[in-house]
Amino acid sequence: MNTKPTFGAKFFALVGVGVLTLILALTSWFTTTEGHIYYVQNKLTGGTEVYAEPGIHLKVPGFTAVSTYKAVATIDMTTAEAANFTRNLNPVDVQYADTYTGAVPMTFRFRLPTDPEVFRQLHKDYRGYANLVDSLLVNTSINAAVVTATQYTGEEFFQGGVNAYKARMEDQLRNGLYVTKREQVTIKDTGYAAVSSTNADANKVEVTERLVTKNVIQLDKDGQPRRQENPLAAYGIQVTQV
């Protein structure tokens, strides 16, 4: 009995080998692009690599996991409308020490670390870019905005304290939140005096004093603000803009 393969069988075998070879060739490498950081894990050996520069790299087809991160993340809290940012959220709702409230629009930019060992720890803790942004960057930004507001009265903020608020919030984002203590402080309010039997002038301005409970920054022995641990510092994440 003749069991020699026919020409057709040989042809289809060659085509199958060719297709398989082509698939392996196309899936055995990947490219990295500027502006991104790549965490690459070999599932066979457990080895990992971190790439922060553009290039072409080999991988084991079917056994290599590539996680992509943007090198710079922008958290926009001015509007929830779609824009070219990492996250688009509504302005942050804050409450000041004297119970005034406000919705403060702000934008934050963060630069991720490129040191391989630091980045390995970051990926191990957050497992992906989306989780890192939502769990760490967004939450840390909102927390800094809310905590900073408790260190001001609404009167201070609305009467020209915006720049001071911004500078203090940026400092706390970069270096850690201040250690504060709730204390009663005296604040001065300026407004029009009520018209009464003793005041006929509707345009008369008066200054009144009242006590409010405010988060007061605690200082160390050198007169510098005491700080809490900065969650960004452990991963080398830099605050580049507020």
Side-chain angles (χ1 to χ4, degrees), residues 46-193:
T48 61
E49 295 290 343
V50 176
Y51 300 105
E53 298 294 335
I56 299 176
H57 310 278
L58 296 177
K59 67 175 183 176
V60 180
F63 295 95
T64 302
V66 180
S67 300
T68 305
Y69 293 74
K70 288 184 179 179
V72 176
T74 302
I75 313 300
D76 180 69
M77 298 181 183
T78 60
T79 174
E81 296 179 2
N84 190 28
F85 297 116
T86 307
R87 289 292 182 273
N88 302 285
L89 306 170
N90 289 317
V92 181
D93 292 324
V94 300
Q95 180 171 318
Y96 303 97
D98 52 0
T99 71
Y100 279 105
T101 60
V104 184
M106 54 190 71
T107 302
F108 305 88
R109 285 176 65 85
F110 301 92
R111 184 177 299 279
L112 301 190
T114 56
D115 179 88
E117 290 306 314
V118 175
F119 200 89
R120 285 186 177 94
Q121 186 60 50
L122 181 150
H123 180 80
K124 180 180 178 181
D125 290 347
Y126 291 97
R127 308 304 301 170
Y129 183 62
N131 190 42
L132 169 70
V133 170
D134 295 326
S135 299
L136 181 62
L137 302 186
V138 171
N139 285 344
T140 302
S141 301
I142 293 176
N143 191 41
V146 171
V147 169
T148 303
T150 66
Q151 299 162 13
Y152 288 88
T153 65
E155 186 90 4
E156 291 171 330
F157 183 87
F158 296 122
Q159 292 190 2
V162 176
N163 288 335
Y165 173 95
K166 174 186 172 183
R168 184 176 291 186
M169 179 175 62
E170 185 172 357
D171 177 52
Q172 292 183 93
L173 265 177
R174 288 179 170 167
N175 303 303
L177 296 177
Y178 300 139
V179 174
T180 60
K181 181 179 179 181
R182 291 182 65 79
E183 298 179 2
Q184 278 197 331
V185 297
T186 301
I187 64 171
K188 294 182 178 181
D189 291 331
T190 302
Y192 290 109

Side-chain angles (χ1 to χ4, degrees), residues 14-79:
L14 288 174
V15 170
V17 172
V19 171
L20 180 60
T21 302
L22 180 62
I23 292 175
L24 290 175
L26 293 176
T27 58
S28 62
W29 58 278
F30 68 98
T31 60
T32 55
T33 59
E34 191 172 8
H36 294 81
I37 304 173
Y38 300 82
Y39 180 89
V40 183
Q41 182 177 24
N42 186 320
K43 297 179 181 179
L44 291 176
T45 65
T48 61
E49 295 290 343
V50 176
Y51 300 105
E53 298 294 335
I56 299 176
H57 310 278
L58 296 177
K59 67 175 183 176
V60 180
F63 295 95
T64 302
V66 180
S67 300
T68 305
Y69 293 74
K70 288 184 179 179
V72 176
T74 302
I75 313 300
D76 180 69
M77 298 181 183
T78 60
T79 174

